[in-house]
């Protein structure tokens, strides 16, 4: 809610309105509310939760299947709506009878001999259940991980390569086959084993594996494998297979996971098992990170040295084999993210955009805030399109080129909503003109544009491109442990090819194609521009996706104008009810509308309620009806509606909260302007890799608030404001604002007056730590975190924080209108010359939010910054607080009455009564009891 009732100096605000709407063009077609209801619809998808989804297309049924861990299987015809499938395991008796049996499915393999050196060699029996599970075969049911499915035409079988996970790296990948894609699947034999970590544990002896078929007879476990509990430092883990045919028809299997790296082997197309005639070099030595090939495990293609990495998937697209690997841990705070490399050869070497090899030569923290190797396809993000819950931990993907020519990315994701559930997502992928995959911003919804269109035609007319776009960067270095998400900022693409807004730059489309180059802050993102549908609606949007040379991916969208207007009309949330009684400002421009929808309010009595919603009852002695007209427009379309309100007569307070205010920043829309001087615009900025502050909704406030992000070591998120007190003759000054801390860090700046050239500053942090230093030896600290931890500004709740400085009275701090009686001073506070502070403020060029302390920027939300050219005294601050809380006092916390738990004398003087949002008079006949429309309500 807006925290004050009136600011008489800007009652008309005509110049402000003219500034905002100088560029609004005349619309030609009016749509009605009834029209708007018919212009789009909502849709729903049948979601599915398949862990580690591997996708395959089954031609005869024209269906896509995804197979995942723990026997999870789903199918679809449209990549949007999924149906669950039960795919069983089975055993085959000696007479060929196949019987479904999950518990003994892996005890006896069907293949009994293989070919090596042109001769048949006994294969023996390999009890995969015993290797992985010991004596309890039922244990295997919870440890069947990440299968990959492929049809083998030489075998005439569907081949399922399945990981059976053991507790000490004693895992195996086995092959199962079926005549039908939905099974039942019969165990053919093992493909690879891992975890024979010593020569003493009989349960996981190498002699129970196929090692001696590969290496020949061994008198003991080869020393290079005798790693004990440190197996993971050197060797791969036999999980997460990906099987594919290369362009020459060879069959390959890549596999592996934390921490020994990703390896690849050739398979025998006639059996589907390992090709025992293909040999690999062994290059193990005491430098464990130097292993890149091994006679048993095959050739390393990625990872290793203890670095994270799992779920490899290889797909040939265009001219390259693309290796997808997911780094991090599959948890909302695990930093899970897809990285991509490519190679001309199926077995590598795989390199990223900067020609860095996918293989690690030493350990690296390679997710979250760590290593940036590999192009990062998607990161945690929120508030994109109609998204209401943050999506995070995207990965363990597969990819496929469908019969429609579209390339699809299929992955599982988790959510930043406190749960640990997961779901499957499908996005279309395109190749940019540099040959790197970029991911469509929205989920696939039947779009038909693919590589053929992108390369040969402009699928979006160039004259439709200009407009306001919401964009997010899937950047490296995100603080996943604190659930950091990328959130959209707005930029404007202009017809002349320039870009303005939260980021600046230029854009261009390559002639005759749909390849777009978007250059933001001097970084070029090469991608494509297409039209998509914004789930969960039928609203179309112009979208672009691209990546820069560092591997950072960019998404942007602009909704179709007519649909965006219709959506905005249908989802209006006004700050007042029709015919409501008005006793305070109306946050008219805090109404949420979609991108490219312009909003314009007008009042028939702007001297009482202005065109921007400023309430000015000065001189009123009764009630006055006011008509407010709202016009929404987009492109050639507009919608308009009149609303009636009743302005109540002026209510007075002891104290003066109006005189001397030089700046008011409401943060309800961009540009963010000083309501008392619209030539002064707040600049939302960042340093280093941090995020630019954003304007966002908060359920406890009307309109939007400013959200600034934590930052340190030169990576700050801040807002720069022209100091409205510069060159003022000051005897005192006041800074007041609403603050909600999002973390408990005590050092970082909420606000400051800061002159970097003179290294002089006055600042406040979340600890209500107030520091001054003029770089000349004059300084003081109040509430220094090294001496006292203060809860004056609590974490997680909105607080009105007011600081005054005067030459006579020094520094005073007020919290929610009440003076803080005890301030802990350090330095020369007792005899400090406060003239130094005011003299500095008179010269200081800038006022900052989130910048100017000696540390960094606080993760904090801020609303309604007010700066005065005088010291507000105790009575003034109390009056300011009452006006700030007037609207808040009438927010519907009580589910029946819509009235907050406050006493009548806290809500204001005047006639001594309280009115709820609907203008109903509230009486207080007895202590703690309020009566509304004849019903009693207890006030706690």
């Amino acid at each position: 809610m807006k925290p004050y009732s009136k600011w008489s100096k800007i009652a008309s605000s005509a110049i402000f309105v003219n500034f905002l709407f100088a560029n609004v063009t005349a619309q030609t077609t009016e749509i009605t509310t009834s029209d708007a209801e018919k212009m789009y619809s909502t849709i729903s998808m049948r979601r599915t939760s398949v862990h580690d989804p591997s996708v395959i297309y089954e031609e005869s049924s024209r269906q896509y299947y995804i197979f995942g861990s723990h026997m999870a299987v789903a199918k679809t015809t449209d990549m949007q709506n999924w149906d669950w499938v039960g795919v069983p395991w089975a055993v085959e008796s000696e007479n060929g009878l196949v019987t479904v049996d999950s518990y003994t499915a892996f005890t006896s393999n069907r293949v009994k001999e293989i070919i090596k050196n042109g001769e048949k060699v006994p294969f023996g029996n390999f009890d995969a259940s015993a290797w992985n599970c010991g004596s309890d075969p039922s244990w295997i049911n919870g440890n069947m991980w990440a299968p990959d499915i492929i049809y083998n035409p030489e075998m005439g079988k569907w081949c399922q390569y399945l990981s059976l996970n053991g507790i000490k790296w004693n895992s195996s990948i086995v092959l199962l086959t079926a005549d039908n894609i939905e099974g039942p699947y019969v165990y053919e034999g093992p493909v690879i084993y891992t975890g024979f970590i010593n020569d003493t544990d009989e349960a996981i002896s190498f002699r129970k594996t196929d090692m001696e078929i590969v290496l020949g007879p061994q008198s003991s476990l080869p020393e290079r494998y005798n790693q004990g509990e440190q197996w993971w430092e050197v060797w791969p883990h036999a999980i997460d297979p990906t099987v594919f045919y290369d362009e020459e028809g060879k069959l390959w299997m890549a596999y592996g996971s934390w921490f020994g790296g990703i390896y690849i082997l050739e398979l025998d197309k006639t059996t589907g098992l390992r090709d025992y005639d293909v040999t690999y070099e062994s290059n193990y030595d005491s430098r464990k990170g130097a292993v890149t090939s091994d006679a048993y495990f095959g050739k390393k293609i990625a990872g290793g040295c203890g670095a994270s990495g799992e779920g490899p998937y290889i797909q040939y697209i265009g001219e390259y084999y693309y290796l997808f690997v997911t780094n991090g841990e599959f948890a909302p705070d695990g930093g899970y993210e897809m990285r991509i490399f490519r190679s001309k050869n199926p077995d590598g070497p795989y390199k990223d955009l900067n020609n860095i090899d996918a293989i690690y030569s030493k350990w690296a923290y390679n997710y979250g805030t760590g290593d940036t190797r590999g192009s990062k396809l998607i990161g945690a993000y929120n508030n994109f399109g109609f998204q209401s819950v943050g999506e995070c931990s995207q990965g363990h993907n597969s990819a496929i080129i469908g019969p429609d020519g579209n390339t699809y990315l299929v992955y599982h994701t988790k959510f930043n909503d406190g749960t640990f559930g997961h779901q499957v997502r499908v996005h279309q992928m395109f190749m940019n003109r540099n040959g790197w995959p970029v991911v469509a911003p929205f989920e696939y919804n039947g779009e038909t544009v693919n590589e053929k269109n992108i390369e040969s035609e402009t699928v979006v007319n160039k004259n439709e491109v200009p407009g306001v776009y919401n964009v997010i960067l899937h950047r490296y270095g995100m603080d996943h442990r604190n659930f950091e998400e990328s959130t959209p900022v707005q930029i404007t693409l202009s017809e002349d090819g320039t870009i303005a807004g939260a980021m600046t730059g230029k854009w261009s489309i390559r002639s005759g194609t749909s390849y777009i180059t978007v250059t933001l802050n001097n970084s070029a993102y090469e991608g494509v521009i297409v039209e998509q549908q914004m789930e969960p609606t039928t609203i179309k949007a112009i979208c672009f996706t691209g990546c820069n040379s560092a591997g950072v991916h960019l998404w942007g969208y602009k909704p179709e104008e007519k649909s965006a207007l219709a959506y905005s009309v249908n989802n209006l949330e006004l700050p007042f009810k029709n015919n409501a009684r008005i006793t305070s400002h109306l946050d008219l421009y805090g109404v949420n509308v979609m991108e490219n929808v312009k909003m314009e309010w007008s009042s028939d009595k702007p001297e009482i309620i202005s065109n921007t919603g400023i309430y000015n009852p000065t001189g009123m002695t009764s009630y006055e009806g006011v008509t407010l007209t709202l016009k929404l427009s987009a492109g050639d379309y507009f919608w308009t509606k009149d609303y009636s309100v009743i302005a109540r007569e002026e209510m007075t307070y002891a104290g003066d909260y109006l005189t001397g205010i030089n700046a008011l920043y409401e943060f309800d829309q961009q540009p963010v302007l000083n309501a008392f001087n619209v030539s002064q615009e707040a600049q939302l900025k960042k340093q280093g890799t941090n995020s630019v502050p954003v304007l966002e909704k908060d359920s406890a406030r009307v309109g939007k608030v400013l959200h600034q992000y934590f930052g340190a070591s030169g990576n700050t998120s801040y807002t720069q404001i022209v100091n409205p007190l510069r060159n003022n003759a000051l005897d005192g000054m006041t800074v007041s604002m609403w603050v909600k801390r999002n973390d408990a860090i005590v050092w970082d700046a909420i606000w400051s007056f800061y002159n970097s050239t003179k290294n002089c500053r006055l600042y406040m942090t979340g600890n209500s730590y107030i520091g001054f230093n003029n770089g000349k030896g004059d300084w003081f600290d109040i509430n220094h975190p090294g001496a006292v931890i203060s809860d004056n500004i609590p974490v997680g709740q909105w607080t009105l924080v007011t600081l005054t400085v005067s030459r006579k009275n020094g520094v005073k701090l007020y919290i929610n209108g009440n003076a803080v009686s005890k301030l802990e001073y350090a330095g020369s506070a007792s005899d400090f010359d406060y003239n130094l502070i005011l003299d500095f403020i008179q010269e200081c060029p800038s006022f900052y939010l989130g910048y100017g302390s000696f540390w960094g920027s606080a993760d904090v939300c801020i609303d309604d910054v007010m700066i005065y050219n005088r010291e507000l005294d105790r009575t003034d601050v109390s009056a300011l607080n009452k006006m700030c809380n007037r609207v808040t006092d009438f927010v519907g916390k009580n589910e029946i009455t819509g009235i907050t738990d406050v006493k009548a004398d806290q809500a204001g003087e005047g006639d001594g009564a309280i009115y709820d949002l609907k203008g109903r008079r509230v009486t207080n006949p007895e202590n703690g009891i309020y009566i509304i429309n004849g019903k009693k309500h207890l006030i706690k």
Side-chain angles (χ1 to χ4, degrees), residues 163-196:
S163 311
L164 302 180
N165 180 52
I167 59 175
K168 290 186 177 180
W169 315 101
N170 54 310
S171 301
S172 61
I173 294 172
V174 299
L175 168 64
L176 303 102
T177 64
D179 295 325
N180 185 292
I181 192 171
E182 295 189 15
Y185 281 85
V186 176
Y187 172 42
E188 296 286 344
V191 183
I192 195 78
Y193 285 89
T194 57
F196 24 86

Side-chain angles (χ1 to χ4, degrees), residues 662-663 665 674 680 720-728 730 752-754 838 840-848 867:
N662 279 32
Y665 287 91
N674 177 0
Q680 295 177 349
Q720 184 174 2
I721 294 171
V722 174
N723 177 10
L725 304 182
R726 193 178 190 188
N727 299 323
N728 276 229
L730 298 177
S752 78
F753 290 95
Y754 177 46
L838 292 167
F840 152 65
I841 291 174
Q842 290 173 173
E843 298 177 354
C844 185
S846 297
F847 178 79
Y848 293 95
I867 302 177

